[in-house]
PDB file of all heavy atoms in Angstrom:
ATOM      1  N   VAL A 217     -11.720  -3.483  47.513  1.00  0.00           N
ATOM      2  CA  VAL A 217     -11.792  -2.076  47.887  1.00  0.00           C
ATOM      3  C   VAL A 217     -10.606  -1.354  47.233  1.00  0.00           C
ATOM      4  O   VAL A 217      -9.488  -1.881  47.214  1.00  0.00           O
ATOM      5  CB  VAL A 217     -11.719  -1.930  49.423  1.00  0.00           C
ATOM      6  CG1 VAL A 217     -11.576  -0.467  49.835  1.00  0.00           C
ATOM      7  CG2 VAL A 217     -12.942  -2.561  50.067  1.00  0.00           C
ATOM      8  N   THR A 220      -6.415  -1.736  48.041  1.00  0.00           N
ATOM      9  CA  THR A 220      -6.126  -2.944  48.823  1.00  0.00           C
ATOM     10  C   THR A 220      -5.554  -4.082  47.985  1.00  0.00           C
ATOM     11  O   THR A 220      -5.506  -5.224  48.428  1.00  0.00           O
ATOM     12  CB  THR A 220      -7.386  -3.445  49.556  1.00  0.00           C
ATOM     13  OG1 THR A 220      -8.376  -3.836  48.600  1.00  0.00           O
ATOM     14  CG2 THR A 220      -7.953  -2.366  50.470  1.00  0.00           C
ATOM     15  N   ALA A 259       1.152 -13.696  58.451  1.00  0.00           N
ATOM     16  CA  ALA A 259       0.135 -12.949  59.195  1.00  0.00           C
ATOM     17  C   ALA A 259      -1.097 -12.621  58.348  1.00  0.00           C
ATOM     18  O   ALA A 259      -2.093 -12.129  58.888  1.00  0.00           O
ATOM     19  CB  ALA A 259       0.749 -11.664  59.740  1.00  0.00           C
ATOM     20  N   TRP A 261      -3.771 -14.091  56.875  1.00  0.00           N
ATOM     21  CA  TRP A 261      -4.780 -15.132  56.690  1.00  0.00           C
ATOM     22  C   TRP A 261      -5.866 -14.630  55.740  1.00  0.00           C
ATOM     23  O   TRP A 261      -6.153 -13.435  55.682  1.00  0.00           O
ATOM     24  CB  TRP A 261      -5.409 -15.506  58.040  1.00  0.00           C
ATOM     25  CG  TRP A 261      -4.449 -16.190  58.957  1.00  0.00           C
ATOM     26  CD1 TRP A 261      -3.564 -15.604  59.814  1.00  0.00           C
ATOM     27  CD2 TRP A 261      -4.261 -17.589  59.072  1.00  0.00           C
ATOM     28  NE1 TRP A 261      -2.832 -16.553  60.464  1.00  0.00           N
ATOM     29  CE2 TRP A 261      -3.246 -17.790  60.027  1.00  0.00           C
ATOM     30  CE3 TRP A 261      -4.848 -18.709  58.467  1.00  0.00           C
ATOM     31  CZ2 TRP A 261      -2.799 -19.054  60.381  1.00  0.00           C
ATOM     32  CZ3 TRP A 261      -4.410 -19.971  58.822  1.00  0.00           C
ATOM     33  CH2 TRP A 261      -3.393 -20.133  59.774  1.00  0.00           C
ATOM     34  N   PRO A 262      -6.473 -15.503  54.984  1.00  0.00           N
ATOM     35  CA  PRO A 262      -7.505 -15.067  54.031  1.00  0.00           C
ATOM     36  C   PRO A 262      -8.658 -14.321  54.691  1.00  0.00           C
ATOM     37  O   PRO A 262      -9.241 -13.424  54.085  1.00  0.00           O
ATOM     38  CB  PRO A 262      -7.962 -16.360  53.353  1.00  0.00           C
ATOM     39  CG  PRO A 262      -7.341 -17.479  54.109  1.00  0.00           C
ATOM     40  CD  PRO A 262      -6.176 -16.944  54.859  1.00  0.00           C
ATOM     41  N   GLU A 263      -8.963 -14.681  55.935  1.00  0.00           N
ATOM     42  CA  GLU A 263     -10.041 -13.966  56.628  1.00  0.00           C
ATOM     43  C   GLU A 263      -9.652 -12.509  56.894  1.00  0.00           C
ATOM     44  O   GLU A 263     -10.485 -11.606  56.817  1.00  0.00           O
ATOM     45  CB  GLU A 263     -10.372 -14.675  57.945  1.00  0.00           C
ATOM     46  CG  GLU A 263     -11.025 -16.039  57.781  1.00  0.00           C
ATOM     47  CD  GLU A 263     -10.042 -17.138  57.422  1.00  0.00           C
ATOM     48  OE1 GLU A 263      -8.800 -16.889  57.492  1.00  0.00           O
ATOM     49  OE2 GLU A 263     -10.490 -18.254  57.063  1.00  0.00           O
ATOM     50  N   ARG A 264      -8.383 -12.268  57.190  1.00  0.00           N
ATOM     51  CA  ARG A 264      -7.902 -10.905  57.382  1.00  0.00           C
ATOM     52  C   ARG A 264      -7.954 -10.143  56.060  1.00  0.00           C
ATOM     53  O   ARG A 264      -8.344  -8.967  56.015  1.00  0.00           O
ATOM     54  CB  ARG A 264      -6.479 -10.922  57.930  1.00  0.00           C
ATOM     55  CG  ARG A 264      -5.915  -9.536  58.199  1.00  0.00           C
ATOM     56  CD  ARG A 264      -4.456  -9.606  58.634  1.00  0.00           C
ATOM     57  NE  ARG A 264      -3.902  -8.273  58.862  1.00  0.00           N
ATOM     58  CZ  ARG A 264      -2.606  -8.010  59.048  1.00  0.00           C
ATOM     59  NH1 ARG A 264      -1.719  -9.016  59.041  1.00  0.00           N
ATOM     60  NH2 ARG A 264      -2.181  -6.781  59.230  1.00  0.00           N
ATOM     61  N   VAL A 265      -7.578 -10.811  54.994  1.00  0.00           N
ATOM     62  CA  VAL A 265      -7.629 -10.187  53.671  1.00  0.00           C
ATOM     63  C   VAL A 265      -9.057  -9.786  53.330  1.00  0.00           C
ATOM     64  O   VAL A 265      -9.301  -8.694  52.800  1.00  0.00           O
ATOM     65  CB  VAL A 265      -7.051 -11.130  52.604  1.00  0.00           C
ATOM     66  CG1 VAL A 265      -7.228 -10.531  51.209  1.00  0.00           C
ATOM     67  CG2 VAL A 265      -5.579 -11.419  52.883  1.00  0.00           C
ATOM     68  N   GLU A 266     -10.004 -10.637  53.644  1.00  0.00           N
ATOM     69  CA  GLU A 266     -11.408 -10.312  53.355  1.00  0.00           C
ATOM     70  C   GLU A 266     -11.852  -9.082  54.139  1.00  0.00           C
ATOM     71  O   GLU A 266     -12.545  -8.208  53.596  1.00  0.00           O
ATOM     72  CB  GLU A 266     -12.318 -11.493  53.667  1.00  0.00           C
ATOM     73  CG  GLU A 266     -13.782 -11.194  53.363  1.00  0.00           C
ATOM     74  CD  GLU A 266     -14.692 -12.402  53.512  1.00  0.00           C
ATOM     75  OE1 GLU A 266     -14.180 -13.525  53.704  1.00  0.00           O
ATOM     76  OE2 GLU A 266     -15.935 -12.224  53.429  1.00  0.00           O
ATOM     77  N   ARG A 267     -11.451  -8.980  55.404  1.00  0.00           N
ATOM     78  CA  ARG A 267     -11.832  -7.811  56.205  1.00  0.00           C
ATOM     79  C   ARG A 267     -11.263  -6.526  55.621  1.00  0.00           C
ATOM     80  O   ARG A 267     -11.914  -5.479  55.628  1.00  0.00           O
ATOM     81  CB  ARG A 267     -11.363  -7.983  57.652  1.00  0.00           C
ATOM     82  CG  ARG A 267     -12.142  -9.003  58.457  1.00  0.00           C
ATOM     83  CD  ARG A 267     -11.889  -8.853  59.955  1.00  0.00           C
ATOM     84  NE  ARG A 267     -10.486  -8.972  60.314  1.00  0.00           N
ATOM     85  CZ  ARG A 267      -9.880 -10.134  60.592  1.00  0.00           C
ATOM     86  NH1 ARG A 267     -10.567 -11.267  60.533  1.00  0.00           N
ATOM     87  NH2 ARG A 267      -8.603 -10.155  60.927  1.00  0.00           N
ATOM     88  N   VAL A 268     -10.042  -6.598  55.101  1.00  0.00           N
ATOM     89  CA  VAL A 268      -9.380  -5.406  54.575  1.00  0.00           C
ATOM     90  C   VAL A 268      -9.854  -5.066  53.167  1.00  0.00           C
ATOM     91  O   VAL A 268     -10.132  -3.907  52.847  1.00  0.00           O
ATOM     92  CB  VAL A 268      -7.846  -5.600  54.581  1.00  0.00           C
ATOM     93  CG1 VAL A 268      -7.145  -4.487  53.820  1.00  0.00           C
ATOM     94  CG2 VAL A 268      -7.323  -5.673  56.009  1.00  0.00           C
ATOM     95  N   SER A 269      -9.945  -6.071  52.301  1.00  0.00           N
ATOM     96  CA  SER A 269     -10.153  -5.844  50.868  1.00  0.00           C
ATOM     97  C   SER A 269     -11.572  -6.075  50.392  1.00  0.00           C
ATOM     98  O   SER A 269     -11.937  -5.625  49.296  1.00  0.00           O
ATOM     99  CB  SER A 269      -9.224  -6.758  50.067  1.00  0.00           C
ATOM    100  OG  SER A 269      -9.661  -8.112  50.155  1.00  0.00           O
ATOM    101  N   GLY A 270     -12.347  -6.815  51.163  1.00  0.00           N
ATOM    102  CA  GLY A 270     -13.681  -7.172  50.707  1.00  0.00           C
ATOM    103  C   GLY A 270     -13.711  -8.374  49.782  1.00  0.00           C
ATOM    104  O   GLY A 270     -14.796  -8.805  49.349  1.00  0.00           O
ATOM    105  N   VAL A 271     -12.567  -8.939  49.441  1.00  0.00           N
ATOM    106  CA  VAL A 271     -12.536 -10.128  48.583  1.00  0.00           C
ATOM    107  C   VAL A 271     -12.865 -11.352  49.427  1.00  0.00           C
ATOM    108  O   VAL A 271     -12.160 -11.645  50.402  1.00  0.00           O
ATOM    109  CB  VAL A 271     -11.156 -10.293  47.926  1.00  0.00           C
ATOM    110  CG1 VAL A 271     -11.081 -11.611  47.157  1.00  0.00           C
ATOM    111  CG2 VAL A 271     -10.873  -9.124  46.993  1.00  0.00           C
ATOM    112  N   VAL A 273     -13.167 -14.959  51.148  1.00  0.00           N
ATOM    113  CA  VAL A 273     -12.172 -16.003  51.379  1.00  0.00           C
ATOM    114  C   VAL A 273     -12.229 -17.061  50.283  1.00  0.00           C
ATOM    115  O   VAL A 273     -11.202 -17.495  49.746  1.00  0.00           O
ATOM    116  CB  VAL A 273     -12.389 -16.645  52.761  1.00  0.00           C
ATOM    117  CG1 VAL A 273     -11.535 -17.903  52.905  1.00  0.00           C
ATOM    118  CG2 VAL A 273     -12.068 -15.652  53.872  1.00  0.00           C
TER     119      VAL A 273
END
Side-chain angles (χ1 to χ4, degrees):
V217 171
T220 64
W261 292 86
E263 291 78 10
R264 182 185 179 191
V265 175
E266 181 173 352
R267 288 196 302 272
V268 170
S269 72
V271 174
V273 169

